[in-house]
Amino acid sequence: MDSFTQIVLGASVAAAVVPATDRRAALAAGAILGTLPDLDGIPIALMTDDPVLRMTLHRGLTHSLLVLPLIAVAIWWLFKRFGKGRVAASPVRWFWAIALALITHPLLDAFTVYGTQLWWPLRPPPAMWSSLFIIDPLYTIWLLAGVLVALFAGARPLGKRALVFGLVLSTAYIGWSLVAKTIVDREAERSLATMGLADAPRFSVPMPANTLLWRVVAMTPDGYVEGFRSLAADRGPMRFTAYASDTRALQANAGLPAVRRLAWFNHGFVGATVVDDRLQLSDLRMGAEPDYLFRFTVAERADGAWRAVPPVQAGMPRDIAGTLRATWARIWREPALPGLGSEEAVEAH
């Protein structure tokens, strides 16, 4: 999730568990701890200029449920031993404040589609529960309200009640997102089955800043299909648009380190195109046809043979404001066609 959301989540959980007299201090401490795991971007940027490594190293060590408890213990011990007395006076509560502020960060991240390495240094594919978009005001607003009230109320009971209220409502919103995802997945499963894609690898993800409009992608032998589902407007079966992918070029370069790492990180949801004898890979999870946030040139072809090149990330041309306007309009209206710029429209009956 975005850094601001992680800040207010960390502040909320920390301030909710400490003694009332420490509440304002815990708001500040939790805000810092809540954003701390994302500072891994600084050493990663200093360590490499490879965009594939930068993408796939993020949400690794500093997001691990095997590492963060140890960091929490270290921070807690340092403040208990050398701090001004708050932690020493209430060591158990402050331990849980520190631990929860850190651990809730990767758990929340895992509800997005990006990929969070919860068990680093073990190497299962990163968790991508993908029921929340990276920025969703309807999740964040309850936490923010609780933090602001607690900041104003200080040690008064109102502050604790506001924090708990914000945490309950934001957690309930996550619960709703999982229900919405289940509804969309069932609709997609029925439609894909009629297309002969019942067993095709697929994922669903909410469109920007909402949980009413969802995007579903399923892989096919020669590419992938993409469909959208609005829980507010759509009533018939899901419709999918087919897109070709250069699967031969992708297979020919499957052994390259950058290709292997991307396939591991994004669970194989990769689109491949060859432009001017250069292989470009798109992470199909983030974006929508024809624009993707992560697109990398990883190989080039000369005299019929492929060779690796230093990965280069391409820009995303779509206007973000236009995308948000189109998303808002699509939530409330089911279009006659399944998508713009489609190569082949496929409707499941």
Side-chain angles (χ1 to χ4, degrees):
M1 296 290 285
D2 63 282
S3 294
F4 180 75
T5 298
Q6 295 288 10
I7 286 171
V8 292
L9 174 60
S12 296
V13 295
V17 299
V18 299
T21 53
D22 294 347
R23 188 167 295 136
R24 284 183 174 141
L27 286 171
I32 294 170
L33 293 169
T35 196
L36 186 64
D38 277 344
L39 297 183
D40 65 346
I42 297 174
I44 290 171
L46 295 174
M47 182 176 63
T48 180
D49 59 0
D50 183 330
V52 172
L53 284 178
R54 286 186 175 186
M55 176 189 181
T56 58
L57 288 174
H58 180 46
R59 297 196 188 178
L61 182 152
T62 62
H63 289 63
S64 172
L65 297 181
L66 301 178
V67 174
L68 285 176
L70 302 178
I71 296 176
V73 169
I75 294 173
W76 173 78
W77 181 84
L78 286 172
F79 277 88
K80 181 173 177 291
R81 177 69 175 82
F82 301 107
K84 296 181 179 180
R86 290 191 181 96
V87 177
S90 302
V92 175
R93 290 196 183 189
W94 269 100
F95 171 77
W96 284 111
I98 293 168
L100 288 172
L102 287 172
I103 291 171
T104 53
H105 181 120
L107 290 176
L108 181 59
D109 275 349
F111 282 97
T112 70
V113 78
Y114 183 93
T116 306
Q117 299 170 58
L118 294 178
W119 306 111
W120 188 98
L122 305 179
R123 285 182 54 82
M128 39 170 269
W129 303 333
S130 62
S131 70
L132 294 175
F133 191 72
I134 191 171
I135 298 175
D136 193 327
L138 287 180
Y139 174 79
T140 309
I141 189 65
W142 313 112
L143 298 172
L144 176 60
V147 166
L148 292 177
V149 172
L151 187 62
F152 171 79
R156 285 178 286 172
L158 174 63
K160 175 70 170 289
R161 289 197 295 268
L163 291 168
V164 172
F165 189 66
L167 287 166
V168 168
L169 286 181
S170 62
T171 303
Y173 185 74
I174 292 178
W176 151 251
S177 75
L178 294 171
V179 171
K181 182 179 177 70
T182 299
I183 295 171
V184 171
D185 286 346
R186 287 177 178 172
E187 291 294 333
E189 183 177 9
R190 282 194 285 265
S191 295
L192 290 169
T194 67
M195 298 161 57
L197 297 173
D199 298 322
R202 65 180 180 272
F203 69 89
S204 59
V205 63
M207 293 296 286
N210 80 101
T211 50
L212 291 176
L213 178 62
W214 293 71
R215 173 175 173 261
V216 178
V217 172
M219 306 305 291
T220 66
D222 58 355
Y224 48 93
V225 295
E226 178 187 65
F228 296 89
R229 187 72 177 181
S230 168
L231 296 178
D234 297 2
R235 295 295 178 265
M238 279 193 71
R239 294 176 293 183
F240 288 85
T241 304
Y243 296 94
S245 179
D246 199 328
T247 53
R248 293 181 62 184
L250 179 60
Q251 184 60 38
N253 291 281
L256 298 183
V259 178
R260 290 202 312 269
R261 190 164 185 86
L262 281 172
W264 162 75
F265 190 77
N266 62 25
H267 298 242
F269 294 113
V270 179
T273 57
V274 177
V275 181
D276 297 329
D277 284 324
R278 296 175 70 85
L279 175 62
Q280 186 178 88
L281 302 183
S282 299
D283 188 324
L284 300 177
R285 302 170 305 156
M286 287 169 278
E289 286 296 328
D291 302 321
Y292 291 98
L293 183 60
F294 293 103
R295 295 183 297 143
F296 306 99
T297 298
V298 297
E300 66 179 9
R301 183 170 52 196
D303 300 323
W306 288 100
R307 68 176 185 89
V309 298
V312 176
Q313 185 171 356
M316 183 176 177
R318 176 170 290 183
D319 172 44
I320 294 178
T323 299
L324 291 175
R325 287 193 298 269
T327 298
W328 180 255
R330 178 62 182 86
I331 290 173
W332 310 111
R333 184 178 69 252
E334 183 176 16
L337 296 176
L340 297 177
S342 62
E343 296 179 8
E344 179 185 355
V346 183
E347 183 171 1
H349 297 282

Tab-separated table of all heavy atoms in Angstrom, residues 62-110:
chain	number	residue	atom	x	y	z
A	62	THR	N	13.036	-6.580	4.305
A	62	THR	CA	12.373	-5.701	5.278
A	62	THR	C	10.877	-5.959	5.399
A	62	THR	O	10.201	-5.297	6.187
A	62	THR	CB	12.585	-4.227	4.897
A	62	THR	OG1	11.994	-3.977	3.614
A	62	THR	CG2	14.062	-3.884	4.849
A	63	HIS	N	10.348	-6.901	4.605
A	63	HIS	CA	8.933	-7.254	4.682
A	63	HIS	C	8.731	-8.698	5.144
A	63	HIS	O	7.620	-9.223	5.064
A	63	HIS	CB	8.266	-7.068	3.318
A	63	HIS	CG	8.096	-5.629	2.925
A	63	HIS	ND1	9.158	-4.783	2.728
A	63	HIS	CD2	6.973	-4.897	2.683
A	63	HIS	CE1	8.701	-3.586	2.380
A	63	HIS	NE2	7.389	-3.630	2.355
A	64	SER	N	9.781	-9.318	5.632
A	64	SER	CA	9.716	-10.737	5.982
A	64	SER	C	9.172	-10.941	7.390
A	64	SER	O	9.638	-10.318	8.357
A	64	SER	CB	11.115	-11.359	5.883
A	64	SER	OG	11.107	-12.671	6.396
A	65	LEU	N	8.213	-11.850	7.521
A	65	LEU	CA	7.680	-12.202	8.825
A	65	LEU	C	8.669	-13.036	9.638
A	65	LEU	O	8.436	-13.293	10.825
A	65	LEU	CB	6.364	-12.968	8.673
A	65	LEU	CG	5.225	-12.191	8.007
A	65	LEU	CD1	3.968	-13.047	7.933
A	65	LEU	CD2	4.941	-10.888	8.734
A	66	LEU	N	9.766	-13.450	9.012
A	66	LEU	CA	10.834	-14.128	9.726
A	66	LEU	C	11.886	-13.152	10.235
A	66	LEU	O	12.665	-13.484	11.131
A	66	LEU	CB	11.503	-15.166	8.814
A	66	LEU	CG	10.599	-16.257	8.255
A	66	LEU	CD1	11.383	-17.175	7.330
A	66	LEU	CD2	9.941	-17.043	9.378
A	67	VAL	N	11.911	-11.946	9.676
A	67	VAL	CA	12.919	-10.945	10.029
A	67	VAL	C	12.349	-9.845	10.923
A	67	VAL	O	12.972	-9.435	11.911
A	67	VAL	CB	13.529	-10.326	8.752
A	67	VAL	CG1	14.470	-9.172	9.094
A	67	VAL	CG2	14.262	-11.381	7.945
A	68	LEU	N	11.151	-9.367	10.614
A	68	LEU	CA	10.601	-8.221	11.336
A	68	LEU	C	10.420	-8.464	12.840
A	68	LEU	O	10.648	-7.542	13.638
A	68	LEU	CB	9.279	-7.789	10.704
A	68	LEU	CG	9.417	-7.035	9.376
A	68	LEU	CD1	8.051	-6.738	8.785
A	68	LEU	CD2	10.214	-5.746	9.545
A	69	PRO	N	10.014	-9.657	13.278
A	69	PRO	CA	9.956	-9.860	14.730
A	69	PRO	C	11.305	-9.670	15.412
A	69	PRO	O	11.366	-9.158	16.536
A	69	PRO	CB	9.458	-11.311	14.857
A	69	PRO	CG	8.675	-11.540	13.610
A	69	PRO	CD	9.435	-10.806	12.550
A	70	LEU	N	12.383	-10.066	14.747
A	70	LEU	CA	13.718	-9.862	15.321
A	70	LEU	C	14.061	-8.377	15.389
A	70	LEU	O	14.654	-7.911	16.367
A	70	LEU	CB	14.760	-10.606	14.480
A	70	LEU	CG	14.540	-12.117	14.325
A	70	LEU	CD1	15.618	-12.723	13.439
A	70	LEU	CD2	14.513	-12.792	15.688
A	71	ILE	N	13.678	-7.631	14.343
A	71	ILE	CA	13.898	-6.185	14.361
A	71	ILE	C	13.076	-5.546	15.467
A	71	ILE	O	13.557	-4.643	16.177
A	71	ILE	CB	13.543	-5.580	12.985
A	71	ILE	CG1	14.496	-6.123	11.913
A	71	ILE	CG2	13.603	-4.060	13.031
A	71	ILE	CD1	14.156	-5.667	10.515
A	72	ALA	N	11.842	-6.009	15.650
A	72	ALA	CA	10.994	-5.468	16.715
A	72	ALA	C	11.627	-5.701	18.079
A	72	ALA	O	11.641	-4.791	18.933
A	72	ALA	CB	9.607	-6.109	16.650
A	73	VAL	N	12.148	-6.899	18.309
A	73	VAL	CA	12.794	-7.199	19.591
A	73	VAL	C	14.000	-6.289	19.806
A	73	VAL	O	14.216	-5.754	20.909
A	73	VAL	CB	13.211	-8.677	19.647
A	73	VAL	CG1	14.123	-8.937	20.835
A	73	VAL	CG2	11.991	-9.581	19.717
A	74	ALA	N	14.791	-6.074	18.743
A	74	ALA	CA	15.987	-5.236	18.861
A	74	ALA	C	15.612	-3.790	19.193
A	74	ALA	O	16.219	-3.161	20.073
A	74	ALA	CB	16.796	-5.297	17.563
A	75	ILE	N	14.611	-3.248	18.473
A	75	ILE	CA	14.187	-1.870	18.740
A	75	ILE	C	13.628	-1.750	20.152
A	75	ILE	O	13.938	-0.803	20.887
A	75	ILE	CB	13.149	-1.431	17.696
A	75	ILE	CG1	13.800	-1.346	16.307
A	75	ILE	CG2	12.529	-0.090	18.069
A	75	ILE	CD1	12.812	-1.080	15.194
A	76	TRP	N	12.798	-2.704	20.534
A	76	TRP	CA	12.199	-2.694	21.878
A	76	TRP	C	13.280	-2.732	22.945
A	76	TRP	O	13.238	-1.953	23.905
A	76	TRP	CB	11.272	-3.900	22.010
A	76	TRP	CG	10.725	-4.121	23.388
A	76	TRP	CD1	9.709	-3.447	23.987
A	76	TRP	CD2	11.177	-5.101	24.335
A	76	TRP	NE1	9.488	-3.940	25.260
A	76	TRP	CE2	10.366	-4.955	25.482
A	76	TRP	CE3	12.168	-6.083	24.312
A	76	TRP	CZ2	10.548	-5.758	26.614
A	76	TRP	CZ3	12.336	-6.883	25.430
A	76	TRP	CH2	11.529	-6.717	26.564
A	77	TRP	N	14.274	-3.590	22.799
A	77	TRP	CA	15.346	-3.703	23.802
A	77	TRP	C	16.155	-2.414	23.897
A	77	TRP	O	16.469	-1.950	25.003
A	77	TRP	CB	16.267	-4.865	23.449
A	77	TRP	CG	17.371	-5.037	24.460
A	77	TRP	CD1	17.302	-5.708	25.648
A	77	TRP	CD2	18.683	-4.481	24.374
A	77	TRP	NE1	18.507	-5.619	26.312
A	77	TRP	CE2	19.366	-4.876	25.554
A	77	TRP	CE3	19.357	-3.718	23.425
A	77	TRP	CZ2	20.696	-4.499	25.803
A	77	TRP	CZ3	20.672	-3.343	23.671
A	77	TRP	CH2	21.330	-3.734	24.835
A	78	LEU	N	16.456	-1.808	22.744
A	78	LEU	CA	17.237	-0.570	22.756
A	78	LEU	C	16.501	0.545	23.497
A	78	LEU	O	17.096	1.263	24.319
A	78	LEU	CB	17.548	-0.136	21.323
A	78	LEU	CG	18.618	-0.946	20.584
A	78	LEU	CD1	18.669	-0.541	19.121
A	78	LEU	CD2	19.982	-0.752	21.241
A	79	PHE	N	15.203	0.695	23.222
A	79	PHE	CA	14.455	1.750	23.891
A	79	PHE	C	14.195	1.417	25.357
A	79	PHE	O	14.145	2.318	26.204
A	79	PHE	CB	13.141	2.025	23.152
A	79	PHE	CG	13.307	2.948	21.990
A	79	PHE	CD1	13.623	2.464	20.732
A	79	PHE	CD2	13.169	4.315	22.147
A	79	PHE	CE1	13.791	3.306	19.655
A	79	PHE	CE2	13.337	5.180	21.083
A	79	PHE	CZ	13.653	4.685	19.828
A	80	LYS	N	14.032	0.156	25.662
A	80	LYS	CA	13.854	-0.248	27.056
A	80	LYS	C	15.124	0.006	27.861
A	80	LYS	O	15.080	0.422	29.024
A	80	LYS	CB	13.466	-1.727	27.113
A	80	LYS	CG	13.214	-2.286	28.516
A	80	LYS	CD	12.680	-3.690	28.402
A	80	LYS	CE	12.470	-4.317	29.780
A	80	LYS	NZ	13.762	-4.585	30.448
A	81	ARG	N	16.251	-0.214	27.200
A	81	ARG	CA	17.544	-0.082	27.892
A	81	ARG	C	18.035	1.367	27.933
A	81	ARG	O	18.551	1.832	28.952
A	81	ARG	CB	18.578	-0.964	27.182
A	81	ARG	CG	19.984	-0.880	27.737
A	81	ARG	CD	20.057	-1.501	29.122
A	81	ARG	NE	21.423	-1.521	29.610
A	81	ARG	CZ	22.039	-0.483	30.192
A	81	ARG	NH1	21.384	0.650	30.364
A	81	ARG	NH2	23.278	-0.589	30.623
A	82	PHE	N	17.844	2.096	26.826
A	82	PHE	CA	18.456	3.421	26.736
A	82	PHE	C	17.451	4.556	26.553
A	82	PHE	O	17.843	5.716	26.425
A	82	PHE	CB	19.445	3.464	25.559
A	82	PHE	CG	20.542	2.448	25.667
A	82	PHE	CD1	20.552	1.325	24.845
A	82	PHE	CD2	21.560	2.603	26.589
A	82	PHE	CE1	21.564	0.384	24.932
A	82	PHE	CE2	22.579	1.666	26.691
A	82	PHE	CZ	22.572	0.556	25.861
A	83	GLY	N	16.159	4.238	26.508
A	83	GLY	CA	15.151	5.261	26.244
A	83	GLY	C	14.836	6.116	27.454
A	83	GLY	O	15.495	6.045	28.499
A	84	LYS	N	13.784	6.931	27.304
A	84	LYS	CA	13.433	7.899	28.339
A	84	LYS	C	12.509	7.334	29.411
A	84	LYS	O	12.067	8.067	30.290
A	84	LYS	CB	12.771	9.109	27.686
A	84	LYS	CG	13.697	9.883	26.752
A	84	LYS	CD	12.981	11.082	26.160
A	84	LYS	CE	13.910	11.867	25.238
A	84	LYS	NZ	13.215	13.051	24.645
A	85	GLY	N	12.144	6.076	29.329
A	85	GLY	CA	11.386	5.471	30.407
A	85	GLY	C	10.023	4.935	30.038
A	85	GLY	O	9.465	4.121	30.753
A	86	ARG	N	9.425	5.405	28.923
A	86	ARG	CA	8.090	4.918	28.568
A	86	ARG	C	8.098	3.412	28.326
A	86	ARG	O	7.230	2.690	28.815
A	86	ARG	CB	7.578	5.639	27.317
A	86	ARG	CG	7.235	7.103	27.508
A	86	ARG	CD	6.504	7.629	26.290
A	86	ARG	NE	6.180	9.039	26.417
A	86	ARG	CZ	6.915	10.020	25.920
A	86	ARG	NH1	8.021	9.733	25.255
A	86	ARG	NH2	6.555	11.283	26.073
A	87	VAL	N	9.055	2.948	27.526
A	87	VAL	CA	9.119	1.520	27.198
A	87	VAL	C	9.450	0.707	28.445
A	87	VAL	O	8.869	-0.356	28.676
A	87	VAL	CB	10.145	1.268	26.075
A	87	VAL	CG1	10.260	-0.222	25.786
A	87	VAL	CG2	9.751	2.021	24.812
A	88	ALA	N	10.352	1.213	29.262
A	88	ALA	CA	10.714	0.497	30.491
A	88	ALA	C	9.554	0.439	31.465
A	88	ALA	O	9.384	-0.546	32.202
A	88	ALA	CB	11.914	1.173	31.141
A	89	ALA	N	8.724	1.490	31.466
A	89	ALA	CA	7.599	1.524	32.398
A	89	ALA	C	6.474	0.581	31.983
A	89	ALA	O	5.768	0.037	32.843
A	89	ALA	CB	7.061	2.960	32.501
A	90	SER	N	6.287	0.386	30.700
A	90	SER	CA	5.231	-0.518	30.186
A	90	SER	C	5.826	-1.405	29.101
A	90	SER	O	5.474	-1.278	27.922
A	90	SER	CB	4.050	0.285	29.642
A	90	SER	OG	3.500	1.125	30.630
A	91	PRO	N	6.736	-2.294	29.457
A	91	PRO	CA	7.477	-3.034	28.432
A	91	PRO	C	6.624	-3.943	27.564
A	91	PRO	O	6.856	-4.043	26.364
A	91	PRO	CB	8.496	-3.844	29.246
A	91	PRO	CG	7.901	-3.946	30.616
A	91	PRO	CD	7.150	-2.682	30.823
A	92	VAL	N	5.626	-4.600	28.140
A	92	VAL	CA	4.821	-5.541	27.355
A	92	VAL	C	3.991	-4.794	26.318
A	92	VAL	O	3.963	-5.161	25.133
A	92	VAL	CB	3.918	-6.390	28.274
A	92	VAL	CG1	2.991	-7.267	27.434
A	92	VAL	CG2	4.772	-7.255	29.190
A	93	ARG	N	3.326	-3.734	26.742
A	93	ARG	CA	2.496	-2.985	25.809
A	93	ARG	C	3.334	-2.351	24.706
A	93	ARG	O	2.927	-2.337	23.539
A	93	ARG	CB	1.702	-1.918	26.552
A	93	ARG	CG	0.592	-2.468	27.443
A	93	ARG	CD	-0.370	-1.355	27.803
A	93	ARG	NE	-1.412	-1.808	28.707
A	93	ARG	CZ	-2.466	-1.074	29.022
A	93	ARG	NH1	-2.610	0.151	28.521
A	93	ARG	NH2	-3.377	-1.530	29.856
A	94	TRP	N	4.480	-1.815	25.094
A	94	TRP	CA	5.319	-1.184	24.073
A	94	TRP	C	5.939	-2.221	23.132
A	94	TRP	O	6.158	-1.941	21.947
A	94	TRP	CB	6.401	-0.327	24.721
A	94	TRP	CG	5.936	1.082	24.910
A	94	TRP	CD1	5.464	1.651	26.053
A	94	TRP	CD2	5.870	2.082	23.903
A	94	TRP	NE1	5.109	2.955	25.835
A	94	TRP	CE2	5.360	3.256	24.513
A	94	TRP	CE3	6.192	2.133	22.544
A	94	TRP	CZ2	5.162	4.455	23.825
A	94	TRP	CZ3	6.006	3.315	21.850
A	94	TRP	CH2	5.487	4.462	22.484
A	95	PHE	N	6.206	-3.419	23.628
A	95	PHE	CA	6.698	-4.452	22.699
A	95	PHE	C	5.658	-4.743	21.629
A	95	PHE	O	5.967	-4.808	20.434
A	95	PHE	CB	7.028	-5.746	23.444
A	95	PHE	CG	7.322	-6.884	22.496
A	95	PHE	CD1	8.540	-6.966	21.845
A	95	PHE	CD2	6.352	-7.841	22.213
A	95	PHE	CE1	8.798	-7.997	20.939
A	95	PHE	CE2	6.607	-8.864	21.321
A	95	PHE	CZ	7.832	-8.942	20.681
A	96	TRP	N	4.397	-4.897	22.047
A	96	TRP	CA	3.350	-5.182	21.062
A	96	TRP	C	3.104	-3.987	20.158
A	96	TRP	O	2.801	-4.154	18.969
A	96	TRP	CB	2.074	-5.609	21.767
A	96	TRP	CG	2.155	-7.018	22.267
A	96	TRP	CD1	2.206	-7.442	23.554
A	96	TRP	CD2	2.250	-8.185	21.464
A	96	TRP	NE1	2.320	-8.799	23.618
A	96	TRP	CE2	2.345	-9.291	22.338
A	96	TRP	CE3	2.264	-8.417	20.091
A	96	TRP	CZ2	2.452	-10.599	21.887
A	96	TRP	CZ3	2.363	-9.725	19.628
A	96	TRP	CH2	2.460	-10.791	20.513
A	97	ALA	N	3.249	-2.782	20.670
A	97	ALA	CA	3.099	-1.599	19.819
A	97	ALA	C	4.145	-1.594	18.715
A	97	ALA	O	3.838	-1.349	17.532
A	97	ALA	CB	3.211	-0.332	20.672
A	98	ILE	N	5.384	-1.857	19.072
A	98	ILE	CA	6.477	-1.867	18.084
A	98	ILE	C	6.292	-3.014	17.098
A	98	ILE	O	6.402	-2.833	15.882
A	98	ILE	CB	7.840	-1.978	18.809
A	98	ILE	CG1	8.096	-0.704	19.625
A	98	ILE	CG2	8.958	-2.236	17.813
A	98	ILE	CD1	9.256	-0.820	20.602
A	99	ALA	N	5.999	-4.212	17.627
A	99	ALA	CA	5.867	-5.383	16.760
A	99	ALA	C	4.702	-5.239	15.790
A	99	ALA	O	4.837	-5.529	14.586
A	99	ALA	CB	5.704	-6.642	17.605
A	100	LEU	N	3.562	-4.772	16.278
A	100	LEU	CA	2.389	-4.656	15.407
A	100	LEU	C	2.589	-3.579	14.352
A	100	LEU	O	2.158	-3.742	13.200
A	100	LEU	CB	1.150	-4.357	16.243
A	100	LEU	CG	0.634	-5.520	17.089
A	100	LEU	CD1	-0.477	-5.053	18.021
A	100	LEU	CD2	0.141	-6.660	16.200
A	101	ALA	N	3.221	-2.464	14.713
A	101	ALA	CA	3.463	-1.405	13.735
A	101	ALA	C	4.333	-1.912	12.586
A	101	ALA	O	4.143	-1.518	11.426
A	101	ALA	CB	4.113	-0.200	14.401
A	102	LEU	N	5.283	-2.779	12.895
A	102	LEU	CA	6.152	-3.324	11.846
A	102	LEU	C	5.459	-4.438	11.052
A	102	LEU	O	5.484	-4.452	9.825
A	102	LEU	CB	7.439	-3.867	12.465
A	102	LEU	CG	8.461	-2.844	12.964
A	102	LEU	CD1	9.577	-3.534	13.731
A	102	LEU	CD2	9.044	-2.058	11.791
A	103	ILE	N	4.834	-5.375	11.745
A	103	ILE	CA	4.331	-6.582	11.084
A	103	ILE	C	3.079	-6.305	10.261
A	103	ILE	O	2.850	-6.959	9.225
A	103	ILE	CB	4.086	-7.686	12.137
A	103	ILE	CG1	5.430	-8.170	12.691
A	103	ILE	CG2	3.316	-8.859	11.546
A	103	ILE	CD1	5.310	-9.100	13.873
A	104	THR	N	2.263	-5.354	10.687
A	104	THR	CA	1.068	-5.060	9.881
A	104	THR	C	1.421	-4.473	8.523
A	104	THR	O	0.614	-4.560	7.589
A	104	THR	CB	0.131	-4.089	10.625
A	104	THR	OG1	0.864	-2.924	11.030
A	104	THR	CG2	-0.502	-4.754	11.829
A	105	HIS	N	2.613	-3.903	8.392
A	105	HIS	CA	3.019	-3.323	7.100
A	105	HIS	C	3.059	-4.377	5.992
A	105	HIS	O	2.360	-4.231	4.976
A	105	HIS	CB	4.373	-2.623	7.244
A	105	HIS	CG	4.861	-1.990	5.993
A	105	HIS	ND1	5.121	-0.642	5.875
A	105	HIS	CD2	5.142	-2.504	4.755
A	105	HIS	CE1	5.525	-0.363	4.648
A	105	HIS	NE2	5.557	-1.494	3.956
A	106	PRO	N	3.855	-5.450	6.113
A	106	PRO	CA	3.857	-6.435	5.024
A	106	PRO	C	2.550	-7.186	4.876
A	106	PRO	O	2.190	-7.590	3.762
A	106	PRO	CB	5.006	-7.382	5.395
A	106	PRO	CG	5.142	-7.254	6.868
A	106	PRO	CD	4.835	-5.805	7.163
A	107	LEU	N	1.823	-7.381	5.975
A	107	LEU	CA	0.539	-8.066	5.856
A	107	LEU	C	-0.430	-7.245	5.011
A	107	LEU	O	-1.152	-7.789	4.170
A	107	LEU	CB	-0.044	-8.338	7.236
A	107	LEU	CG	0.694	-9.392	8.071
A	107	LEU	CD1	0.069	-9.505	9.454
A	107	LEU	CD2	0.685	-10.749	7.362
A	108	LEU	N	-0.460	-5.936	5.216
A	108	LEU	CA	-1.311	-5.093	4.384
A	108	LEU	C	-0.818	-5.091	2.941
A	108	LEU	O	-1.611	-5.170	1.996
A	108	LEU	CB	-1.350	-3.669	4.934
A	108	LEU	CG	-2.222	-2.684	4.162
A	108	LEU	CD1	-3.677	-3.156	4.110
A	108	LEU	CD2	-2.136	-1.290	4.785
A	109	ASP	N	0.506	-5.012	2.744
A	109	ASP	CA	1.067	-5.050	1.392
A	109	ASP	C	0.650	-6.309	0.640
A	109	ASP	O	0.449	-6.289	-0.576
A	109	ASP	CB	2.594	-4.981	1.441
A	109	ASP	CG	3.115	-3.553	1.522
A	109	ASP	OD1	2.321	-2.614	1.331
A	109	ASP	OD2	4.319	-3.379	1.769
A	110	ALA	N	0.543	-7.414	1.363
A	110	ALA	CA	0.216	-8.681	0.715
A	110	ALA	C	-1.192	-8.682	0.126
A	110	ALA	O	-1.497	-9.501	-0.747
A	110	ALA	CB	0.366	-9.842	1.696
